[in-house]
Amino acid sequence: MLHNRFVLAVFALLVSLALPLHAQTQTENAPLRVGITPVPPFVMTGETGEWEGISVDLWRTIADELGQEYEFVELSFNELLQSVEAGKVDVAVGALTMTADREARFDFAHPFYQTGLSVGVPHNPKGGLWQSLRALFTWQFVSLIASLGLLLLFVGVLLWVVERRRNPEQFGGTPIQGIGASFWWAAVTMTTVGYGDKAPTSLPGRLIALVWMFAGLIMVASFTAAITSSLTVSNLQRQIEGPQDLPGNTVATIANTASARYLTDERIRREAYPDLTAAMEAVAREEVDAVVYDRALMLYRNQQLGDQRLDILPAVFEQQLYAFALPSDSPYRSAIAQEVLRATESPEWEALLQRYLGR
């Protein structure tokens, strides 16, 4: 009887030890629930409808190395953070920024991408002569030329009225011929060229000529200043080389983002747009002077703009780190973090970044 009780006790002990081991094995073999939220180019759907992107492709590489089955669970951004904190997903894959607040709520693997804010400006191809000439073809410049032409015509008609009978050899003929000759005289006199082929001979005509000579000096100086100002303003508008040059310009951004907060803190005049594409297109049309946003996202969107591509300046500020998030004390953290380091140190990682972000 005692022997039977001993056998039963040993059997019960073995069963109690085996059940947790069996349950643990089942948990380890179960597919991981991978939470994702669309954030191109890190998480997005491809042409075939499958998930792809920098983060997704990196996760697939890590899962293959670990031999781990998984299933994607699409969530909104807020739901993703809440699900990680509550342990409803095993890992969150996307463009999650590492912050002290989030680190207190859940754990991160090693960062796989360092990013930050960058500045996008209108494309300024080399070959500045054409760009400088473009600055002249503005409404203000055309208005100035038209006003100058009307003034020359007015002076020419005035001179023709007083000279057409007293000096018919130079300002006579039909009204069109006479006005044309006096218009020519007014132009060469204003520019101080003074060919001498035409000159007034009457006293009223010479008084008009004297006044116009002095007025011409002022007109030439004003015209030269206008051209210089137009070219200078055009060049200054294209001399945004980093965040230090943003004050005094109008900058496009998206409301309630890190870039909008940065512009507000720095007291830089900003214009909010509904999405990044709209903001970048506004810069390409020169409705605003620049756009400030996450560098990686701008590089990706810039490839889709075609002829409206911007110049993304190399300076990166307000730097951030992207990493996979896991519930606190997750048993998968160590293995995933190690594979993140291995994957991002490989040559394939650079090829992956170039595929989505270009060079």
Side-chain angles (χ1 to χ4, degrees), residues 37-46 50-54 56 300 356:
T37 187
V39 185
F42 291 89
V43 178
M44 56 189 179
T45 53
E50 294 184 354
W51 291 106
E52 63 176 21
I54 296 174
V56 174
Y300 174 73
Y356 288 104

Side-chain angles (χ1 to χ4, degrees), residues 11-235:
F11 179 76
L13 178 62
L14 293 175
V15 170
S16 65
L17 292 174
L19 284 177
L21 180 61
H22 178 68
Q24 182 179 0
T25 303
Q26 282 187 327
T27 302
E28 291 178 352
N29 293 334
L32 296 186
R33 289 173 56 82
V34 179
I36 56 175
T37 187
V39 185
F42 291 89
V43 178
M44 56 189 179
T45 53
E47 296 179 356
T48 60
E50 294 184 354
W51 291 106
E52 63 176 21
I54 296 174
S55 299
V56 174
D57 291 358
L58 175 60
W59 168 253
R60 286 198 171 103
T61 300
I62 293 172
D64 289 343
E65 290 294 328
L66 296 176
Q68 179 65 56
E69 297 291 331
Y70 60 89
E71 58 183 9
F72 288 126
V73 180
E74 183 179 0
L75 301 166
S76 68
F77 183 75
N78 290 331
E79 291 174 339
L80 184 64
L81 298 181
Q82 294 171 1
S83 297
V84 175
E85 185 176 9
K88 295 180 180 179
V89 296
D90 299 299
V91 58
V93 171
L96 289 176
T97 305
M98 299 179 68
T99 64
D101 176 64
R102 293 174 183 174
E103 183 67 35
R105 298 166 56 189
F106 40 77
D107 291 337
F108 286 99
H110 290 305
F112 62 86
Y113 190 80
Q114 180 175 340
T115 184
L117 302 181
S118 281
V119 180
V121 296
H123 181 51
N124 186 20
K126 304 190 185 324
L129 177 59
W130 170 241
Q131 293 299 320
S132 299
L133 291 176
R134 279 187 59 192
L136 298 179
F137 294 99
T138 61
W139 173 248
Q140 292 80 0
F141 186 77
V142 172
S143 300
L144 178 63
I145 295 295
S147 300
L148 182 60
L150 290 176
L151 182 60
L152 290 172
L153 181 63
F154 172 77
V155 174
V157 170
L158 187 62
L159 184 71
W160 172 73
V161 169
V162 299
E163 288 288 317
R164 60 192 176 96
R165 293 180 180 174
R166 294 183 175 89
N167 192 1
E169 293 82 8
Q170 298 184 42
F171 299 101
T174 64
I176 294 179
Q177 291 175 334
I179 294 175
S182 59
F183 183 89
W184 167 258
W185 169 87
V188 297
T189 301
M190 183 195 72
T191 57
T192 68
V193 174
Y195 284 117
D197 56 338
K198 298 185 183 300
T201 56
S202 66
L203 179 61
R206 289 183 174 180
L207 290 176
I208 293 173
L210 184 63
V211 172
W212 182 238
M213 287 177 190
F214 288 102
L217 295 175
I218 300 175
M219 295 297 300
V220 170
S222 301
F223 187 69
T224 302
I227 295 177
T228 304
S229 175
S230 179
L231 293 176
T232 303
V233 169
S234 174
N235 289 331

